Amino acid sequence: MLVMTAFIFLTFINRVPAWVTAIIVCRELAVTGLRLLIIENNGTVLAAAYPGKIKTLTQMLSIIILLLNNIFFNNIHIPMGIILLYVCLFFTIYSGIDYFYKNRSVFNDGFK
């Protein structure tokens, strides 16, 4: 919820495009739903995979740098917040696909 709120706020203050926030929020909600299905269906907890950990790291770094308005990188004229945002977007999509692909059996087997 905190990550989604931060991205919605960053969109509100025009630092993040709305479509990027929409993808991030949809992925977060979809993976949360997948986790709930797996717990209900198998009784197991879906552990965080490596791409998801990279996604979380890049999300946190991009949020911090974008909230601080790129303050650490203004002197060298590198839009580090935006660069990290798009790296974060890549790993958001990649890790979402990875979670659903690796757990597709939840949808094939049906519910118990």
Side-chain angles (χ1 to χ4, degrees):
M1 292 298 290
L2 187 60
V3 168
M4 290 187 289
T5 302
F7 277 109
I8 291 168
F9 175 74
L10 287 165
T11 299
F12 180 74
I13 63 173
N14 295 319
R15 299 227 179 112
V16 173
W19 66 271
V20 173
T21 296
I23 291 172
I24 291 170
V25 168
C26 287
R27 183 264 184 212
E28 295 296 330
L29 295 174
V31 171
T32 298
L34 177 64
R35 289 178 188 276
L36 292 173
L37 283 174
I38 291 171
I39 289 172
E40 185 177 310
N41 200 24
N42 301 337
T44 59
V45 176
L46 178 61
Y50 192 69
K53 291 179 181 190
I54 295 171
K55 178 225 32 129
T56 301
L57 174 67
T58 57
Q59 277 182 343
M60 298 303 158
L61 290 174
S62 67
I63 287 169
I64 291 167
I65 292 171
L66 288 166
L67 282 173
L68 294 175
N69 203 19
N70 214 43
I71 195 166
F72 302 114
F73 301 95
N74 281 337
N75 293 339
I76 55 176
H77 306 292
I78 296 175
M80 190 57 72
I82 296 298
I83 291 169
L84 282 170
L85 175 68
Y86 287 109
V87 172
C88 156
L89 180 64
F90 171 80
F91 280 102
T92 295
I93 295 167
Y94 178 77
S95 66
I97 291 169
D98 184 56
Y99 280 124
F100 276 88
Y101 181 77
K102 287 181 179 174
N103 295 287
R104 66 190 178 280
S105 63
V106 170
F107 302 105
N108 296 336
D109 296 340
F111 296 99
K112 296 179 183 177

